[in-house]
């Protein structure tokens, strides 16, 4: 998860909100029968085996090894590379319909392009086969922050148009090798926030930015122009891979291809006309920047106006390729933000993306280290997609609660959050949203991009002090499992279920 961090680092702060863990007023049978429930991870965050079997470094590896994740790295992570069978077993026990994971480009194609690594192929074939054998749908993301470092070094990765061809070839290998079993492909994770955090503010890989950002961490970059250039290439790369899939594979493989964006929700801080207009501007910049080209073939007018010559233009042909290049949209949603008009930002020289929006973003604080529970934000995003973008099929690819990572398996706050958001999701579906699935972030406590192992989102705790990296179910795993098995679990029952298990794991941690 990347995006919520972006808003916290950018925003003023407002203090309110809390909810109660009441018993559920719905069960999974209230959702459409073909609606799928899952949980997710990404390659660098869980696999480990960073040096094994021919894998080469990615930009995320470089970032973590420079100490930016509280000194933690993905060298071992949760070691899913070796423990995938055990993890699939846990997924089965939990009752997941689907598992969302990503493919490490530098494991599959160590030079970024060219020869395919047979050991990389073998790993992903094994994982996919294990999932299928147990009736769990693989939902695969191709790019989740971790660009092969070799491509960053050679031509500055997403800043070069050359990325379009290399990404398409990587995608081609994935479709060809795994597409007989993988029916849900997502080209890019959180394209909008990947660019803002990586090229505007520069606090995630590849860490590019210029003043006012980056006094501490960017060696190079240009926050005025690079976010728009990288964003443009992401859209072109997505469109190119989607076109390839549709032309060459879809008829035979019968799968679906989409793209994921970070789905903020924005609400005006006050009901003044200025704040209401500013809120629409925030939607146009943070959502429309990607969604308008995908749905209508061009950037929103206000984005083109405020970014001027810094945003590349689509050629006629590119516009045709990008428009409609998806079967579904994946959304990562964690929080809603209040918007206040700030025209002063538009008067600064060397404007960057955030300044081009001309707003102040005001976060609501939850309990320390946690998100506030604002499920109307998810409903807002889904309604907006319904009304403005033609109600495309949507997968909620990420949603979940951050907490401090520790041996406390009683993550009641996570259960409260998830339960509230599922309720909001159900309301949106009942009001006509085309949402098709919901994935909790994250299945395990993974390496988080900034927080490392300090905070976590997992349904399962991973004991990093144990050489076996044993997994322990938290209250949220029991709760989700109960829900998936059609029960309506009350907090008391959930606590009861978890008491024995917690006693067991406490015994272990005392040894
Ligand atoms: C960033 O790029 C813009 C547009 O190309 C240019 O005018 C500006 O001088 C560059 N800024 C920096 C800090 O390099
Ligand atoms: C703005 O108006 C709406 C509709 O009347 C109301 O629900 C909302 O609470 C108001 N917001 C603020 C911040 O006053
Ligand atoms: C563990 O994290 C929870 C939730 O963030 C917190 O309430 C609790 O005090 C922490 N426990 C320890 C032992 O640090
Ligand atoms: C439900 O959908 C209708 C029609 O699109 C819309 O006008 C209304 O605002 C929606 N209700 C909520 C609560 O979002
Ligand atoms: C878990 O924590 C909640 C509040 O944080 C508390 O009400 C509940 O009793 C705890 N459950 C167990 C089994 O300790």
């Amino acid at each position: 998860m990347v995006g919520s961090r972006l808003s916290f680092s950018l925003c003023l702060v407002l203090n309110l909100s809390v909810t109660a863990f009441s018993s559920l007023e719905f069960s999974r049978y209230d959702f459409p029968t073909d609606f799928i429930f899952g949980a997710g991870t990404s390659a660098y965050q869980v696999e480990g085996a960073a040096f094994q079997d021919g894998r080469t470094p990615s930009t995320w590896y470089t970032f973590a090894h420079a100490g930016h994740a509280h000194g933690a790295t993905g060298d071992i992570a949760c070691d899913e590379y070796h423990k995938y069978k055990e993890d699939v077993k846990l997924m089965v026990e939990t009752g997941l319909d689907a598992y969302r994971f990503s493919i490490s480009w530098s494991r599959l194609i160590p030079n970024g392009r060219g020869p395919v690594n047979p050991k990389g192929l073998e790993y992903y074939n094994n994982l996919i086969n294990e999932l299928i054998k147990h009736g769990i749908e693989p939902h695969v993301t191709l790019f989740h922050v971790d660009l092969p470092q070799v491509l960053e070094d050679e031509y500055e990765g997403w800043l070069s148009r050359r990325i379009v061809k290399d990404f398409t070839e990587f995608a081609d290998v994935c479709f060809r090798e795994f597409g007989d079993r993988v029916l849900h492909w997502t080209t890019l994770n959180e394209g909008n926030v990947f660019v803002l955090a990586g090229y505007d503010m520069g606090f995630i890989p590849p860490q590019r930015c210029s003043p006012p950002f980056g006094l501490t961490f960017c060696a190079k970059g240009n926050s005025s122009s690079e976010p728009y250039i990288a964003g443009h290439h992401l859209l072109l790369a997505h469109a190119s891979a989607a076109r390839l899939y549709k032309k060459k594979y879809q008829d035979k493989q019968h799968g679906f291809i989409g793209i994921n964006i970070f789905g903020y929700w924005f609400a005006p801080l006050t009901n003044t006309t200025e704040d209401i207009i500013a809120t629409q501007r925030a939607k146009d910049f943070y959502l429309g920047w990607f969604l308008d080209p995908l749905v209508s073939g061009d950037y929103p007018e206000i984005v083109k106006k405020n970014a001027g010559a810094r945003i590349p233009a689509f050629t006629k042909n590119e516009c045709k390729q990008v428009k409609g290049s998806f079967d579904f949209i994946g959304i990562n949603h964690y929080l809603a933000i209040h918007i206040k008009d700030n025209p002063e930002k538009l008067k600064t020289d060397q404007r960057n993306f955030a300044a081009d929006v001309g707003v102040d973003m005001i976060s609501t604080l939850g309990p320390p280290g946690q998100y506030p529970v604002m499920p109307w934000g998810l409903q807002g995003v889904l309604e907006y997609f319904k009304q403005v973008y033609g109600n495309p099929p949507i997968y909620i690819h990420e949603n979940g609660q951050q907490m401090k990572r520790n041996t406390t398996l009683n993550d009641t706050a996570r259960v409260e959050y998830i339960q509230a958001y599922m309720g909001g999701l159900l309301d949106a579906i009942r009001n006509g949203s085309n949402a098709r699935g919901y994935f909790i972030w994250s299945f395990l406590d993974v390496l988080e991009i900034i927080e490392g192992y300090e905070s976590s989102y997992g349904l399962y705790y991973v004991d990093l002090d144990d050489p076996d990296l044993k997994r322990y179910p938290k209250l949220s795993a029991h709760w989700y499992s109960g829900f998936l098995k059609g029960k309506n679990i009350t907090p008391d029952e959930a606590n009861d279920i978890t008491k024995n298990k917690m006693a067991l794991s406490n015994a272990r941690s005392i040894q």
Side-chain angles (χ1 to χ4, degrees):
M1 143 19 55
V2 174
S4 56
R5 175 71 188 197
L6 179 70
S7 42
F8 279 116
S9 51
L10 183 83
C11 294
L12 313 170
V13 148
L14 192 77
N15 225 331
L16 35 116
S17 155
V18 168
T19 47
F21 179 0
S22 58
S23 91
L24 268 188
E25 285 143 27
F26 56 86
S27 82
R28 78 166 296 163
Y29 303 115
D30 291 307
F31 286 80
T33 45
D34 53 358
F35 193 89
I36 57 134
F37 287 97
T41 62
S42 90
Y44 188 67
Q45 297 178 274
V46 279
E47 284 180 5
F51 310 98
Q52 209 177 330
D53 293 341
R55 185 185 175 284
T56 62
S58 67
T59 49
W60 198 337
Y61 164 97
T62 306
F63 174 86
H65 275 260
H68 297 301
H70 287 265
T73 74
D75 289 359
I76 299 172
C78 305
D79 201 24
E80 188 158 278
Y81 189 74
H82 297 106
K83 297 174 82 70
Y84 67 92
K85 284 193 177 167
E86 185 184 320
D87 284 345
V88 172
K89 191 160 167 274
L90 278 186
M91 293 172 207
V92 174
E93 283 169 18
T94 314
L96 301 190
D97 302 322
Y99 179 47
R100 174 178 182 251
F101 62 95
S102 75
I103 290 180
S104 159
W105 185 342
S106 67
R107 187 184 295 290
L108 195 63
I109 306 178
N111 295 326
R113 64 173 164 278
V116 175
N117 174 13
K119 288 288 191 183
L121 271 185
E122 186 184 326
Y123 171 65
Y124 292 110
N125 272 321
N126 286 343
L127 171 61
I128 291 164
N129 289 342
E130 191 71 12
L131 288 165
I132 301 277
K133 190 167 101 188
H134 289 91
I136 296 178
E137 290 178 13
H139 284 233
V140 177
T141 302
L142 295 175
F143 176 73
H144 197 120
V145 185
D146 54 346
L147 191 75
Q149 183 64 43
V150 58
L151 299 184
E152 191 69 27
D153 295 343
E154 186 184 344
Y155 56 70
E156 299 192 324
W158 293 102
L159 290 175
S160 166
R161 222 166 233 270
R162 292 173 65 186
I163 194 73
V164 176
K165 182 161 181 281
D166 287 343
F167 178 75
T168 307
E169 283 177 12
F170 162 53
D172 197 9
V173 172
C174 294
F175 302 150
R176 186 180 71 225
E177 298 291 340
F178 312 127
D180 56 333
R181 289 151 292 153
V182 173
L183 299 182
H184 293 86
W185 294 103
T186 302
T187 51
L188 307 167
N189 179 64
E190 285 182 14
N192 52 345
V193 154
F194 166 66
V195 170
L196 293 174
Y199 296 83
D200 191 34
M201 302 174 67
F203 64 81
I204 70 160
Q207 279 190 289
R208 297 185 65 101
C209 62
S210 59
F213 301 117
L215 299 174
T216 47
F217 39 62
C218 295
K220 40 190 172 176
N222 183 336
S223 300
S224 288
S225 55
E226 289 185 2
Y228 294 109
I229 296 168
H232 199 70
H233 293 151
L234 283 166
L235 282 165
L236 294 179
H238 157 78
S240 168
R243 207 161 87 107
L244 173 78
Y245 184 72
K246 286 167 181 280
K247 268 176 64 177
K248 192 167 157 192
Y249 295 101
Q250 198 162 38
D251 281 352
K252 282 187 297 216
Q253 298 182 344
H254 310 294
F256 305 92
I257 189 155
I259 183 172
N260 170 288
I261 70 157
F262 190 84
Y264 293 98
W265 185 239
F266 299 109
L269 183 66
T270 72
N271 275 332
T272 57
T273 309
E274 289 78 10
D275 284 354
I276 290 170
I277 292 173
T279 302
Q280 184 57 49
R281 207 158 59 237
K283 289 175 191 167
D284 286 339
F285 269 85
Y286 288 95
L287 304 172
W289 176 28
F290 273 67
L291 260 300
D292 278 35
L294 290 165
V295 172
S296 324
D298 200 4
Y299 295 115
E301 287 306 321
I302 187 73
V303 175
K304 289 196 287 186
K305 175 162 174 265
N306 290 7
R310 291 174 286 126
I311 190 162
F314 292 110
T315 65
K316 259 205 170 127
N317 192 38
E318 287 167 355
C319 153
K320 257 182 24 206
Q321 289 194 17
V322 172
K323 184 176 172 178
S325 59
F326 61 91
D327 298 315
F328 64 86
I329 302 288
I331 293 178
N332 295 352
H333 179 87
Y334 293 86
L335 74 175
I337 295 173
H338 285 96
I339 296 292
K340 182 169 164 37
D341 186 37
N342 184 349
E344 291 305 310
K345 291 201 167 168
L346 293 168
K347 294 182 189 149
T348 46
D349 306 337
Q350 295 260 332
R351 288 209 311 254
N352 69 305
F353 182 98
D356 286 339
V357 193
V359 303
D360 289 330
M361 299 170 80
I362 295 145
S363 277
T364 301
L365 273 195
Q370 296 174 21
Y371 301 124
V373 181
M374 305 160 100
W376 49 268
L378 180 57
Q379 273 174 268
V381 176
L382 291 171
E383 273 297 321
Y384 192 67
F385 274 73
K386 185 181 97 185
Q387 292 176 23
V388 175
Y389 293 117
N391 207 15
I394 286 180
Y395 288 91
I396 306 301
H397 271 158
E398 291 186 18
N399 178 241
Q401 177 63 289
Q402 168 172 250
M403 296 175 80
K404 196 171 155 48
R405 196 192 78 91
N406 62 34
T407 53
T408 309
L409 299 175
N410 180 3
D411 58 346
T412 296
R414 179 167 291 113
V415 174
E416 285 171 358
Y417 180 100
I418 291 168
Q419 172 182 306
Y421 278 78
M422 277 187 182
L425 171 62
L426 182 58
D427 285 345
I429 292 171
R430 285 177 169 157
N431 202 38
S433 163
N434 200 0
R436 305 286 180 91
Y438 175 84
F439 291 80
I440 288 176
W441 182 267
S442 49
F443 177 57
L444 305 174
D445 279 354
V446 300
L447 173 80
E448 285 296 332
I449 195 157
I450 309 289
E451 299 286 327
Y453 300 110
E454 306 274 310
S455 78
S456 70
Y457 295 77
L459 298 170
Y460 288 84
Y461 172 78
V462 177
D463 186 353
L464 299 176
D465 297 325
D466 174 356
D468 271 347
L469 297 170
K470 191 163 160 40
R471 284 84 160 118
Y472 294 91
K474 301 183 196 174
L475 177 64
S476 55
H478 292 293
W479 180 85
Y480 197 35
S481 182
F483 172 81
L484 293 175
K485 290 167 187 166
K487 295 179 205 144
N488 177 349
I489 294 199
T490 65
D492 287 349
E493 286 163 344
N495 277 328
D496 256 15
I497 300 170
T498 202
K499 255 179 205 149
N500 284 333
K501 297 274 169 74
M502 274 198 282
L504 272 180
S505 45
N506 287 341
R508 211 222 124 256
S509 61
I510 291 160
Q511 277 161 20

